Amino acid sequence: MSGDSVAETTKVPVTRDYARTRRRERVIAPAQTEAGASFLFGSDPTNRLVAPEWPQMAYAMLIIPLAVSAYNLVIPHWPAALIAVFGAIAAHLSKFAVRYEAQNQLETGQRMALMGAGVALPMFLFGSAMGAWGNSGQINWFYCLVAVATVSLLATVVLSGRLVGVLAAQVSIWSGVTCVVSTFGGYFSLLVGVGIAIAAYLRQRKIDVLLREKHESDQRASTRAQEILSDYEETGQGWFWETDRRGQLTYLSAPVAEILGRKVDELIGRPFSELFNLSEQSGEGERTLAFHLSARSSFSELAVRAATSDEERWWSITGRPTYDTFNNFTGFRGSGTDLTEKRRSQEHASRLAHFDSLTGLSNRFRMSQTLEKILLAPQLQHRACSVFLLDLDRFKQVNDTLGHPAGDALLKQVAQRLERVVGKMGRVGRLGGDEFQVILPGKIEREQLGHLAHRIIESLSQPYSIEGSRVMIGASVGIALAPDDGVTSEALIRNADLALYAAKDGGRGRFHFYAADLHSDAEERRQMEEDLRDAVSNGGLELYYQPVVQTATEKITGFEALLRWNHPEHGWISPARFIPIAEDTGLIAPIGEWALRTACQDLSRWPQNVRVAVNVSPLQFANPSLPLIVTSALASSQVAAERLELEITESVFLNDDEGTDQMFKSLKAIGVRLALDDFGTGYSSLGYLRSAPFDKIKIDQSFVRGATQPGSRNGAIIASIVSLAEALGMETTAEGVETLDELDLVRMLGCSHVQGYIYERPLSAMNAAARLSTGLMAIAQGPRSARAARQSMLRKVVLDHGGHRYNAMVRNISQTGALIEGLWNVPPGTIFRVLLADNHAVTATCRWSSDDRMGVEFSMPLRLDETGRIAAVAGVAASPAEPETVIQRKVG
């Protein structure tokens, strides 16, 4: 067994008030005995197997035989005497075993060996000596047995409590006697003794285990309450207090004193009310606490503010009066808990319920409450308001390129700008994502609302600085007015949302007022979506092919596959209308795969030196199965991979990651050609050109249009793109070439290929095959210039749209169109009736707009007079103060 062990126990006071919980005092207590220890050691605190008094048994082993010999007047039998002397010597030498055991940490086996040498051996020798003496016949056996019994009794006394020692001594001495008489009997008795000792040890061990478990259970039960209260108090979960009959503190938990910045001794004897700052209460709390203390009544969970100066802390206190045995009031006793975090959590939850956690603006719930409050005002004149719905343009690009933390930082700056622009006119809120809302109470003129919307768009479109990067975004605004556009919040929000969609469809960066025809537009979009699904399922889509001509040889080198939809009711529908719907609804994936397979099948019937280019949308490019789809289309049509050209827009680089690079590698591994479509109109960084394996760069038609006009920079941009492509070993294709002067310019600037109406309009698959059968030579045919003769003027006109009339000013006019200013951010496609003169009106369609200017196209060319001037405005001279304005885009 191991040496001394010490365990900790609890010193429990005789009496203790329930509120005066303290941490237990640690004191040294008697060690808990191990199971079976009492059998081995008895009550000896030193836990020794051999008793320190045992060596003195040597004297008994010598004196008792001498006494028997003197009583019988005989000289002891010399063999017996010799054995007895050896036994006494062994007992005397056991003092070394006692000392060795006390000085060393011994294993159980070692200690049992010491006990055998120091206790069992001397007793066995003494028993053998007495047996040999009695067996010699010199004296009566009775006296020998008396000597053995006497020594055995003395050994029991010396080894009192050491059951194993007593058994060893008894078994050894009587086994010694038995061995002299009968060897078998001696060994048998020895074995029986050992068995009895083992059984007794096991029994005692079981008893010790039960006693120890009972003791530990009783100890835990007696200290559990004190431990729980102490932990509750000292861990800050709660605290306790006690006052005397005068309301002065007699006990207070230490953590409370620490919070107040004072010591417990300083607060003992002070009024209980000094712990709280009751002056800032509403009055009710102070009177309530004072009432309970004066009325000596119990109170529970009373919220009070702590008397702290550095921070605001709140406590919930509970108390009850106490009485002595004679029912005399002795004071109050109670507890308290910290309410600070709970109150903060409640305030935080309340704020989260009404405010956006990122920007601090009102959230959707609070904005809805505000709108409902206005629309349900008791007086009708107070129910007027205006609702702006805002959506950020190109916000997703910031998230994808700079990461969501940068997007969050951008939203915070947007919120700040919105609040600055709106000011006290209304309430600004964030509905979620990049959607914001502005509510303006009261009736405000549309013109004033338009100016506010314009300022909002202008402010949000200014550059932002995010993590050292310059970020540009825009905003679109939809406006609905109450009660004109709705008298319920649902109707108003729905109509503002329709106006927002109209603003975004008009080219983004615009605002749009709600109009009744927007509902029909939304229904038209829904119907178009259903019709498009039917067209995809029933084969209602077609591919048309526009030739791509090499400028050096004027030969057709390939075709670009263009998607066309001939609606059974509405006729040909522009891809600009149904492609966005296909992308929004997920139809672009099956449409793209069908277009790819169809183009390859048509290509298989064309000459081997002709290629076909197929557009790949960003959603298709993000599909990991795209290389398999391309491979399958080429295999099924038996077309060489280098004859297929995939046109990819810059937007695929918004998610510039390993997946993008891997997709390019996979496509190039197939052997297809890659063309960068609409270059310069999307992604702002050119870093992707370092690794993207493009074979061709397509120059967007927006750079070609107007490039021949004086002062246009488009030519310089085209030249730069061509130089960049040549340096990277890429071809160039100029798109949208429609006039001879544009063709001459792009050829002069070095474009390797041309695509546009100047050579051919898109052809059906059958017509494209027929065209190829006539040869590959292409002849440019078209107008020399795209511009019609215009005359400058300053003339007031009236525009009529949906029954609303607007005053405007004509800046210049031609037979096919005009430049008009006065209306802000008019969505392209808006149709007006233009009153050019008395009894002379013409229908015009807005083709483009910028700020308060727009270019319109007349439904029918205007008639010229004999002088070549517009007959409707004949006699109106150009203003000398207003020189001719050069418009940098095609009008009409």
Side-chain angles (χ1 to χ4, degrees), residues 795-801 803-810 820-821 823 832-838 840-844 854:
R795 182 182 184 88
K796 291 183 178 181
V797 295
V798 176
L799 305 181
D800 183 288
H801 173 69
H804 297 279
R805 293 198 169 195
Y806 307 92
N807 294 322
M809 185 78 69
V810 174
I820 300 177
E821 67 178 22
L823 273 70
F832 296 95
R833 290 284 292 171
V834 183
L835 302 179
L836 294 176
D838 293 338
H840 195 289
V842 62
T843 301
M854 63 176 173

Side-chain angles (χ1 to χ4, degrees), residues 540-542 564-573:
L541 299 178
E542 300 179 54
R564 293 291 184 265
W565 181 19
N566 190 2
H567 193 279
E569 296 180 6
H570 305 293
W572 294 101
I573 297 179

Side-chain angles (χ1 to χ4, degrees), residues 79-122:
L82 183 60
I83 295 174
V85 170
F86 284 152
I89 293 173
H92 181 69
L93 293 177
S94 67
K95 64 181 181 180
F96 296 107
V98 172
R99 187 181 307 164
Y100 187 75
E101 184 182 14
Q103 294 176 351
N104 298 276
Q105 298 289 338
L106 304 178
E107 300 292 336
T108 301
Q110 295 173 327
R111 301 178 73 184
M112 295 297 289
L114 287 177
M115 186 187 68
V119 176
L121 180 60

Side-chain angles (χ1 to χ4, degrees), residues 291-425:
F291 169 79
H292 286 301
L293 294 178
S294 61
R296 300 176 181 177
S297 61
S298 300
F299 54 90
S300 177
E301 297 183 358
L302 184 63
V304 291
R305 181 175 177 179
T308 55
S309 57
D310 53 343
E311 63 174 334
E312 181 178 337
R313 299 191 72 91
W314 288 84
W315 289 328
S316 173
I317 58 174
T318 299
R320 61 180 177 85
T322 58
Y323 300 88
D324 60 15
T325 55
F326 300 101
N327 204 28
N328 293 320
F329 173 71
T330 58
F332 273 88
R333 181 181 299 156
S335 62
T337 56
D338 197 314
L339 279 179
T340 307
E341 291 302 323
K342 182 178 180 180
R343 288 178 68 97
R344 288 175 181 171
S345 298
Q346 291 175 345
E347 293 175 358
H348 181 63
S350 176
R351 179 167 183 80
L352 288 179
H354 295 86
F355 294 91
D356 177 56
S357 59
L358 177 65
T359 62
L361 299 177
S362 298
N363 61 9
R364 183 186 295 270
F365 176 73
R366 188 163 188 253
M367 295 298 287
S368 177
Q369 282 186 325
T370 301
L371 186 56
E372 287 283 356
K373 184 177 180 180
I374 295 175
L375 297 178
L376 296 177
Q379 300 180 358
L380 290 176
Q381 63 269 26
H382 294 159
R383 297 179 185 177
C385 67
S386 305
V387 176
F388 286 20
L389 283 185
L390 291 82
D391 189 78
L392 302 183
D393 303 331
R394 300 184 299 278
F395 175 75
K396 185 178 183 300
Q397 176 180 337
V398 177
N399 261 348
D400 293 338
T401 56
L402 299 181
H404 288 283
D408 291 344
L410 177 59
L411 289 176
K412 292 179 182 178
Q413 294 190 32
V414 168
Q416 294 170 0
R417 293 189 184 185
L418 265 178
E419 287 190 308
R420 282 199 301 268
V421 174
V422 176
K424 298 181 179 180
M425 291 182 62

